[in-house]
Amino acid sequence: MSMASRQDIGVIARHSNWARRDIHATLQREVYAGPTDWLRFSRYFLLGAGAAFLLSGIVFFFAYNWAALHRFVKIGIVLSLLVATGVFGLIAPVRETVRQVALTAVVALIGVLLAVLGQIYQTGANSYDYFLAWTLFAVPWVALVGFAPLWLLFAALLNATFITYSQQIGIDLTYVATSLLLLSLNVVCWTACWLSWRGRESFEWLLQLLALWVAVIATVNVSSGTFDAQPLQLGLTLGLAVLTYGGWVAIAFRQCSIYYLSVVGGSVLITLVFLLLRLSDALGIFFLAGILTLAGMTLLANRLNQLNKRWNEA
């Protein structure tokens, strides 16, 4: 029997005469973390930390012994580890979590192998080529494995590829236009993850992290852009941000979760404060910005607290 989620309990509570005491007991039993949940988290955390330290050890091994190793030894060691890890992750009779961690390590080792090849044969000084190749080789593994940390690594590779391409290849675009493309890329990443894994609780933190990154990009772009010089680009950025934020607000009310409301409210408040500060450097503007910050944070926190209390007690 599958466990009920907070959203399921909230829907049932709103459409029934379920006693509040029983609702609280069900939340404690089905939703809130207990000793067993913390033990499971510790086990997964230590497993992931062990894999991360192992990969870090491999990287530092090459960094320390680089000059003393023959180029075929360098390639052979990384390739052997890559193949062994891939075979282990694909056919070894282990738990699904261990398998997913191993396949995530395979994607990380692909990056190490490409870095070693690039250093040995000097394939070029552009980091863009490196991240693009790593991203392309990671695509089959991401499509094969439904594991949130692997999807996070893939999203980071996409961002790194775009940023290094815009910096090193040299797109003839303004800062605002480049940021708009970066914002669009991450909105697409969040949407793809949401459409693919919105029913999986293990992906909830990934969706929230990507949403926070999208909000940071939108906030910085609108706050730092020049409306006189790039009205169309900033207008498109603002339109995409409003559309995205509207979708998050709808999701927040449907799921009875205040996270997306917090992200949207914080982004809007920070943007308003920065736009106000750009009007003038007079002392009065700083005073108004301080009042807006204090009042906005107070109202936002109070409203979110009321919503959270009402949803938990519904």
Side-chain angles (χ1 to χ4, degrees):
M1 180 179 178
S2 59
M3 295 180 62
S5 65
R6 181 191 294 270
Q7 291 75 28
D8 297 332
I9 296 174
V11 171
I12 296 173
R14 285 194 298 271
H15 297 86
S16 67
N17 58 352
W18 200 359
R20 181 174 299 179
R21 182 180 66 253
D22 296 335
I23 295 174
H24 181 71
T26 304
L27 287 171
Q28 289 286 350
R29 184 177 63 254
E30 302 286 348
V31 177
Y32 299 153
T36 304
D37 299 307
W38 284 109
L39 182 61
R40 186 186 303 113
F41 168 78
S42 300
R43 185 166 62 248
Y44 290 159
F45 175 78
L46 292 175
L47 177 63
F53 282 128
L54 177 61
L55 293 172
S56 300
I58 294 172
V59 173
F60 283 113
F61 170 80
F62 281 102
Y64 186 80
N65 300 283
W66 184 261
L69 295 174
H70 191 272
R71 61 179 182 274
F72 292 142
V73 175
K74 300 172 185 175
I75 297 174
I77 292 176
V78 180
L79 190 58
S80 299
L81 288 171
L82 176 61
V83 172
T85 306
V87 171
F88 174 81
L90 290 173
I91 66 175
V94 294
R95 295 196 310 271
E96 186 63 23
T97 304
V98 177
R99 187 186 313 279
Q100 291 172 338
V101 171
L103 295 179
T104 303
V106 168
V107 177
L109 286 171
I110 289 174
V112 176
L113 178 61
L114 293 174
V116 171
L117 290 173
Q119 286 293 326
I120 292 174
Y121 296 104
Q122 296 299 316
T123 55
N126 289 327
S127 301
Y128 153 73
D129 299 325
Y130 167 69
F131 285 112
L132 177 60
W134 192 356
T135 303
L136 293 177
F137 280 114
V139 170
W141 301 96
V142 174
L144 179 66
V145 183
F147 191 46
L150 178 56
W151 279 66
L152 177 61
L153 175 59
F154 185 69
L157 289 175
L158 286 175
N159 278 265
T161 302
F162 177 82
I163 292 172
T164 52
Y165 178 81
S166 63
Q167 291 179 345
Q168 297 181 345
I169 303 301
I171 303 177
D172 189 18
L173 295 174
T174 63
Y175 167 79
V176 177
T178 304
S179 298
L180 173 60
L181 293 176
L182 182 62
L183 174 64
S184 303
L185 172 65
N186 284 277
V187 169
V188 170
C189 286
W190 182 91
T191 305
C193 290
W194 185 79
L195 292 175
S196 302
W197 307 108
R198 62 182 182 274
R200 295 269 296 271
E201 292 186 3
S202 59
F203 274 79
E204 188 62 30
W205 66 268
L206 174 62
L207 290 170
Q208 293 178 352
L209 187 61
L210 289 177
L212 181 61
W213 177 233
V214 169
V216 169
I217 298 172
T219 302
V220 172
N221 200 17
V222 175
S223 301
S224 60
T226 303
F227 286 88
D228 295 335
Q230 299 101 10
L232 177 61
Q233 298 161 359
L234 274 175
L236 292 174
T237 302
L238 191 59
L240 180 58
V242 169
L243 182 63
T244 304
Y245 287 0
W248 288 350
V249 170
I251 291 174
F253 278 97
R254 190 178 69 179
Q255 295 181 348
C256 296
S257 173
I258 66 170
Y259 178 81
Y260 289 106
L261 295 178
S262 304
V263 171
V264 172
S267 174
V268 171
L269 179 60
I270 293 173
T271 302
L272 291 177
V273 171
F274 270 95
L275 292 178
L276 181 62
L277 290 174
R278 292 179 60 186
L279 292 177
S280 172
D281 57 355
L283 183 61
I285 295 296
F286 287 94
F287 180 72
L288 289 177
I291 293 177
L292 177 61
T293 302
L294 292 175
M297 289 297 296
T298 302
L299 291 174
L300 180 63
N302 182 62
R303 183 56 181 163
L304 291 177
N305 185 54
Q306 290 178 356
L307 279 175
N308 188 50
K309 185 176 180 180
R310 190 203 320 170
W311 286 338
N312 287 332
E313 295 180 352

